[in-house]
Amino acid sequence: MAVSISVVLLLVVLAVVFLRNGALKVSHAVVCGLLGFYLASTSMAPTIHDGLTATAEIVSSIRP
């Protein structure tokens, strides 16, 4: 749960930065958001979730 919130927060911050810099148009952000909602309702959603969870575990286990 904490990883999901962190990822969402990071993506929101990146979207705001891109929107302010003009690198991302509002229409592009809407399309990306809709793509995320549609992907969440497909059969690929568990695979994507498992991949992100595994990646988060690998990154969190790295000690500098």
Side-chain angles (χ1 to χ4, degrees), residues 1-15:
M1 179 73 166
V3 173
S4 299
I5 294 172
S6 299
V7 171
V8 169
L9 185 62
L10 174 67
L11 291 175
V12 167
V13 168
L14 285 174

Side-chain angles (χ1 to χ4, degrees), residues 14-60:
L14 285 174
V16 169
V17 168
F18 288 149
L19 281 170
R20 287 184 164 238
N21 289 339
L24 181 69
K25 295 181 181 176
V26 175
S27 60
H28 298 152
V30 169
V31 169
C32 290
L34 289 174
L35 175 64
F37 281 110
Y38 282 119
L39 275 177
S41 65
T42 65
S43 61
M44 287 179 49
T47 306
I48 294 170
H49 184 269
D50 292 342
L52 288 174
T53 302
T55 303
E57 288 176 3
I58 290 171
V59 169
S60 67

